[in-house]
Amino acid sequence: MKNTLQRHYDAIIIGSGMGGLAAALFHAKFGKQKVLLVEQHSKLGGFTHSFSRGKYTWNVGLHYVGAMCSGSFVRKIMDVLTRNQVTWQALPDPFEVYHFPGFTVKQPNGYKNYIRELKARFPLETGIDAYLKDLKRARIWGNIFFASKVLPGHVAWLPRLIARLFLGKYQDRKFIDSLNDHLHSDKIKAVLTGQCGDYGLSPSKASLFIHATIFFHYEMGAHRPAGGAQAVVETIVAHLRDLDADFAVSHCVQEILIKRGKVHGVRLALVDREGTQQPGFEVYADRVVSAVGARNTYLKLINPMRAPKKLCASLRSFPAGTSMLVAYLGLKGDPAKLGFSGENHWFYRSTDLEQLDRMLDQPEDNGAPIVYVSFDKQQDADGKMIHTATLIASARYHAFLDCGEMGTWKKRSPAYEKLKAEQGQKLVDLVEKEAPGFSDLIDTKVFSTPLSIEWFSCHPEGEAYGLPAIPERYHIHALGPRTPIQGLTLAGADSLAHGVVGAMVGGMTAFTSSLGFLGVVRFFRELAQTHPGQDVDVDAQ
């Protein structure tokens, strides 16, 4: 691989998740630049990739996406990346089902429909409209805040000033504050925490802004890609190959090279399956985009003598993000017989938010308080439908680390393997309790822990969502697509927002941040001319 790489590139992109893929493509397509995309894993895609065991295939991170209706701004970006070659399947309506002890709530497409149903179900709650107004204001604050991250530095102060003068309280407002200010019963508060698993925080920790972002992101329902997440990755990679991009797979970046405050390349090393790095070699570029997270970028890849000290101090003291325990299940038959028809299901063990908070702090002790379940199906070569399920719950990194020395992937200690199997089975048991017969459908089980996530993604402590979306995050002014180092930009979830779409838009802004005003106008004009792709119902396959 080393001998196939050029010595010089126009841009080097670190990380091939959605943020890195988007950044690479926009630099190559719109910037007409020779691009090198670097990935430490043996497979491209980051959290957007898929993996298989026998006849079963699962998506690692792309389970459902909002704002993907044909013609939407987000969809236009995705269609540019994939050249309209990915079909997006609409999930059933309702697309979310929340299970609580003794009752169930379904969330339909259209937030107005959902609010109407909540008012009918909880007629004594007179503050629902005020709560919705709070969410809308938090979203406006966030949009203005993000504008300050994307606009050129000499005008970025203006949106920051507007946000501070008119909506200043939303920078520090937590989700729990809005729930307690406007609502009374534990039941409706618990219902409205639905989707909090999408950013991995409890209401007592999460910024109101991040919950407002997620709530409105799915206001028109949800989609998933036909062919799974790998279809997205493969079409973008094929697009990049046609644009003459180069790839350094199974290569890690040992250091981002900086001279006199300016980027001039990276030091790469080939990595084997055991994680051993070969001797490094240098590849040069005047522009480097890091899509591997803020902590990795500033605390690991930049020489401490050249790293921005104030920003590094903030990142070192910043709380660890949430990680996950995942059960990937291959199913013998169609789960529709149990009432699962392709929509998402969230299983809550309590409606008491304080109790949920305590359980989330130590989920391994008492079992996961919240479990998200996603179902998928793909046709095999013979036309037979293959069904899978993915169960996800929050998990603490140190609970698995404390098993003792565990070595590398597939070479862990027996104590670790035992704990992983026990905790993974608890997720299955919770769903079985709510849907008897679920366990009988299971043919294959694959469990993943925070250590698995750390091994494959290199995110510290298996941070699956990036830096946690607590109010303190939005006080780190240097955190965004632009960095204090000339020629270095950030893409991915830490540059702007969480999730597949947040990472994708972060990849786009990593490119547009290098353009002048007229360049940005030309870019969005070309983006607007993209023809919409195709939508189908989830059952059409």
Side-chain angles (χ1 to χ4, degrees), residues 434-490:
E434 300 296 328
F438 178 72
S439 295
D440 295 335
L441 279 178
I442 298 172
D443 179 42
T444 298
K445 299 176 187 176
V446 180
F447 298 132
S448 169
T449 74
L451 272 67
S452 313
I453 295 171
E454 184 182 51
W455 174 260
F456 287 109
S457 71
C458 289
H459 290 306
E461 299 191 10
E463 284 185 333
Y465 302 87
L467 294 175
I470 58 177
E472 290 81 0
R473 169 173 170 162
Y474 307 108
H475 284 276
I476 305 178
H477 295 303
L479 190 63
R482 290 188 179 82
T483 77
I485 299 167
Q486 186 178 349
L488 175 65
T489 54
L490 245 59

Side-chain angles (χ1 to χ4, degrees), residues 296-511:
N296 280 333
T297 302
Y298 291 108
L299 303 182
K300 292 184 177 181
L301 301 185
I302 298 176
N303 186 313
M305 298 297 293
R306 294 179 172 84
K309 291 180 172 53
K310 184 176 180 180
L311 177 55
C312 287
S314 296
L315 292 173
R316 287 192 189 95
S317 62
F318 205 76
T322 303
S323 194
M324 300 185 298
L325 175 69
V326 186
Y328 299 101
L329 308 177
L331 305 180
K332 300 173 187 176
D334 191 342
K337 66 181 70 174
L338 299 178
F340 301 125
S341 302
E343 65 284 328
N344 298 311
H345 289 260
W346 301 80
F347 293 92
Y348 282 70
R349 293 176 59 197
S350 175
T351 58
D352 185 330
L353 296 187
E354 291 184 2
Q355 182 183 13
L356 287 172
D357 233 5
R358 292 192 297 270
M359 296 168 74
L360 282 168
D361 285 338
Q362 292 186 314
E364 295 79 17
D365 295 341
N366 302 305
I370 305 170
V371 177
Y372 163 76
V373 185
S374 171
F375 295 93
D376 203 358
K377 57 185 178 182
Q378 304 292 339
Q379 274 188 340
D380 65 11
D382 298 324
K384 182 181 179 182
M385 203 64 71
I386 305 298
H387 295 271
T388 58
T390 303
L391 283 55
I392 303 176
S394 62
R396 293 182 306 130
Y397 174 80
H398 289 282
F400 293 90
L401 190 67
D402 291 344
C403 288
E405 180 56 43
M406 291 160 287
T408 60
W409 180 57
K410 288 191 173 181
K411 294 184 179 180
R412 310 279 192 197
S413 71
Y416 166 83
E417 296 294 345
K418 180 175 182 291
L419 179 62
K420 179 175 73 170
E422 290 174 348
Q423 295 299 323
Q425 186 59 43
K426 286 182 180 179
L427 305 189
V428 175
D429 292 343
L430 178 59
V431 180
E432 170 66 26
K433 181 180 179 181
E434 300 296 328
F438 178 72
S439 295
D440 295 335
L441 279 178
I442 298 172
D443 179 42
T444 298
K445 299 176 187 176
V446 180
F447 298 132
S448 169
T449 74
L451 272 67
S452 313
I453 295 171
E454 184 182 51
W455 174 260
F456 287 109
S457 71
C458 289
H459 290 306
E461 299 191 10
E463 284 185 333
Y465 302 87
L467 294 175
I470 58 177
E472 290 81 0
R473 169 173 170 162
Y474 307 108
H475 284 276
I476 305 178
H477 295 303
L479 190 63
R482 290 188 179 82
T483 77
I485 299 167
Q486 186 178 349
L488 175 65
T489 54
L490 245 59
D494 282 354
S495 66
L496 285 178
H498 293 73
V500 172
V501 170
M504 180 179 70
V505 175
M508 181 187 72
T509 55
F511 168 67

Side-chain angles (χ1 to χ4, degrees), residues 60-80:
V60 174
L62 199 169
H63 304 293
Y64 71 129
V65 182
M68 201 58 71
C69 295
S70 182
S72 71
F73 174 69
V74 167
R75 178 62 176 272
K76 284 180 179 293
I77 300 173
M78 183 64 78
D79 285 345
V80 166

Side-chain angles (χ1 to χ4, degrees), residues 120-139:
R121 185 147 191 171
F122 300 96
L124 297 181
E125 294 288 348
T126 58
I128 293 177
D129 284 335
Y131 166 77
L132 182 63
K133 187 175 182 180
D134 220 13
L135 286 185
K136 290 180 177 179
R137 287 179 173 175
R139 181 177 62 165

